[in-house]
């Protein structure tokens, strides 16, 4: 961007100096001096407007994102994938968008839960369910259900499992997702289809995930060769 007004050139300044030095009167020199002052003032004014415009423009994306999330987010909708955030600012370039996410985190507007998932911190959210809701959002396009140690622990059949660690069977690949302070999500691959085990699954609305029965969770433990040393089999017999 070129400013409409610029400072006097070196040639202009030289002419002014010669005019005063070669015996010209102060009256002759003053118009040139006033001209310099005028152009200098104009340049600073235009520069201020230019940089103010740039600063305002750079602030618009973060304000726009803040306004959109303030309108959309609530206790049920507080997690956003990167693609969700990109939709809010479709015209933002890749580099600018990364800088925007970094700034949003520094401003405590967004908190990174794991790669690709951000939490909007300005709303009240069920802190105890962040891992479950993140798992549901991460693999919304695959078949997943809570099983293994998570289900058995909730049923009181097994104890001493790692804190802040949830286990799911998934039609996607096996993978452990690190979620910082929130804990870990462990996905274990399964070839089962929903129709194969539909009678042994129930939907958990609070966690937003399907949940295996105790018998199915125990079967999954066996098939995935997980340790069952901590299983209370006497209690299992009562539940199954």
């Amino acid at each position: 961007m070129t400013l409409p007004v610029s400072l006097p050139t070196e040639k202009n300044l030289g002419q002014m100096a010669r005019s005063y030095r070669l015996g010209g009167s102060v009256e002759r020199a003053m118009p040139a001096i006033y001209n310099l002052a005028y152009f200098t003032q104009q340049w600073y004014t235009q520069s201020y407007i230019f940089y103010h415009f740039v600063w305002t423009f750079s602030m618009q994306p973060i304000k726009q994102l803040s306004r959109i999330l303030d309108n959309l987010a609530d206790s049920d909708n507080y997690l956003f994938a990167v693609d969700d955030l990109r939709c809010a600012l479709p015209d933002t370039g890749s580099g600018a968008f990364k800088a925007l996410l970094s700034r949003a985190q520094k401003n405590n507007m967004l908190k990174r839960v794991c790669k690709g998932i951000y939490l909007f911190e300005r709303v009240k959210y069920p802190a105890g369910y962040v891992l479950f809701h993140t798992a549901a959002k991460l693999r919304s396009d695959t078949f997943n259900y809570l099983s293994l140690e998570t289900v058995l622990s909730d049923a009181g059949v097994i104890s001493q499992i790692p804190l802040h660690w949830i286990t799911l069977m998934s039609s996607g690949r096996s993978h452990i997702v690190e979620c910082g302070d929130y804990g870990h999500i462990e996905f274990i691959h399964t070839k089962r289809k929903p129709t194969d085990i539909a009678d042994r699954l129930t939907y958990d609305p609070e966690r937003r995930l399907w949940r295996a029965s105790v018998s199915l969770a125990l079967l999954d433990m066996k098939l995935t060769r997980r340790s069952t040393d901590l299983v209370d089999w006497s209690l299992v017999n009562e539940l199954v």
Side-chain angles (χ1 to χ4, degrees):
M1 179 177 178
T2 303
L3 294 176
V5 179
S6 60
L7 279 174
T9 64
E10 184 176 351
K11 181 179 179 180
N12 298 140
L13 293 174
Q15 290 174 346
M16 291 170 57
R18 284 193 298 274
S19 173
Y20 187 77
R21 210 169 37 239
L22 296 175
S25 66
V26 174
E27 287 76 9
R28 289 178 55 195
M30 285 306 294
I33 296 173
Y34 280 130
N35 194 45
L36 172 62
Y38 169 76
F39 274 101
T40 302
Q41 182 181 16
Q42 287 292 96
W43 185 85
Y44 279 116
T45 300
Q46 295 293 339
S47 296
Y48 174 80
I49 294 173
F50 172 72
Y51 287 112
H52 179 73
F53 170 78
V54 171
W55 179 81
T56 302
F57 181 80
S58 67
M59 288 293 290
Q60 285 179 348
I62 192 75
K63 288 183 177 179
Q64 182 180 355
L65 180 62
S66 177
R67 182 171 62 252
I68 291 173
L69 293 179
D70 279 332
N71 291 331
L72 292 179
D74 54 32
S75 58
D76 292 324
N77 303 293
Y78 63 95
L79 292 176
F80 296 90
V82 170
D83 288 343
D84 299 331
L85 301 173
R86 288 284 300 177
C87 289
L89 300 166
D91 297 327
T92 305
S94 177
F97 183 73
K98 289 180 180 179
L100 176 65
L101 288 182
S102 177
R103 186 169 189 175
Q105 292 177 77
K106 290 180 180 179
N107 292 347
N108 296 322
M109 182 172 74
L110 292 175
K111 183 173 183 179
R112 185 179 184 273
V113 178
C114 63
K115 183 179 180 180
I117 301 294
Y118 291 85
L119 185 153
F120 187 57
E121 295 194 284
R122 293 180 185 170
V123 296
K124 292 183 179 180
Y125 58 91
Y129 296 127
V130 170
L131 277 182
F132 299 99
H133 296 170
T134 299
K137 195 164 187 66
L138 276 174
R139 298 204 176 181
S140 58
D141 58 343
T142 59
F143 171 50
N144 313 286
Y145 63 92
L146 293 168
S147 187
L148 306 167
E149 291 89 352
T150 295
V151 167
L152 297 179
S153 175
D154 288 347
V157 171
I158 196 172
S159 59
Q160 299 180 7
I161 66 169
L163 292 174
H164 310 300
W165 189 297
I166 64 173
T167 50
L168 302 93
M169 302 301 291
S170 173
S171 61
R173 68 186 181 94
S174 296
H175 183 56
I176 295 177
V177 181
E178 295 186 6
C179 298
D181 296 337
Y182 297 103
H184 296 78
I185 302 169
E186 183 178 6
F187 292 102
I188 307 296
H189 177 69
T190 180
K191 294 182 179 179
R192 290 197 186 101
K193 297 179 180 179
T195 52
D196 298 335
I197 53 175
D199 59 337
R200 290 184 283 179
L201 292 175
T202 56
Y203 185 70
D204 188 331
E206 290 185 333
R207 291 167 177 78
R208 305 176 189 174
L209 291 163
W210 291 97
R211 170 186 289 274
S213 64
V214 171
S215 61
L216 178 58
L218 285 169
L219 179 59
D220 287 337
M221 292 282 286
K222 179 180 179 180
L223 294 176
T224 55
R225 299 180 180 180
R226 312 274 280 204
S227 174
T228 57
D229 292 344
L230 297 177
V231 174
D232 185 341
W233 292 104
S234 63
L235 186 56
V236 168
N237 294 331
E238 297 178 8
L239 296 174
V240 177

